[in-house]
Amino acid sequence: MLLDALLARASANSKDLRRLEPSCLTGPDLATAIRTGNADCGIATRAVAKSSGLDFVPLVWESFDLLMRQRSFFRPQVQALITFLAGGRFKQRAAGMTGYDTAPAGHIRFAA
């Protein structure tokens, strides 16, 4: 969807691209395709590029939200996840990968 939005913004479409078949399903798959010369570029995270020794050009900043029923939020397993997200170990690991802002992790953004 991101690729389609970026192409539309550039007044282009996917037919204007030379695409791999089959397409790369994961960031590491894409990194391998680029490193081996089977692809010139693709959309992945900064962490994938860094861990693969590839250059990275940021295109957009994207937030990822975890959606759930309100009652699920109070279950012990979800609370354990929220505690983990707020912890130093998680924040340290994310900082090491670069490109991640963990400050909003675990905060409720919308409740109905």
Side-chain angles (χ1 to χ4, degrees), residues 2 14 22 48 52-53 81 83 93 95 97:
L2 174 59
S14 61
V48 166
S52 301
L81 175 62
T83 300
R93 175 77 169 142
M97 293 191 307

Side-chain angles (χ1 to χ4, degrees), residues 89-107:
R89 209 166 120 211
F90 173 74
K91 292 178 185 300
Q92 183 180 15
R93 175 77 169 142
M97 293 191 307
T98 71
Y100 293 97
D101 178 11
T102 61
H107 293 203

Side-chain angles (χ1 to χ4, degrees), residues 13-109:
N13 64 53
S14 61
K15 292 179 184 144
D16 297 325
L17 301 176
R18 190 183 57 153
R19 301 177 76 159
L20 288 178
E21 290 298 331
S23 60
C24 298
L25 299 179
T26 68
D29 291 343
L30 175 60
T32 298
I34 293 170
R35 277 196 326 272
T36 59
N38 292 321
D40 295 324
C41 63
I43 295 177
T45 64
R46 180 187 312 263
V48 166
K50 181 181 175 188
S51 69
S52 301
L54 298 171
D55 291 330
F56 180 80
V57 177
L59 301 174
V60 296
W61 187 261
E62 200 170 17
S63 294
F64 291 89
D65 295 321
L66 181 62
L67 301 157
M68 68 186 76
R69 290 189 168 111
Q70 192 172 24
R71 68 178 181 252
S72 299
F73 181 81
F74 298 100
R75 291 191 173 152
Q77 300 90 336
V78 174
Q79 287 301 301
L81 175 62
I82 300 299
T83 300
F84 173 74
L85 294 174
R89 209 166 120 211
F90 173 74
K91 292 178 185 300
Q92 183 180 15
R93 175 77 169 142
M97 293 191 307
T98 71
Y100 293 97
D101 178 11
T102 61
H107 293 203
I108 297 173
R109 293 175 25 111

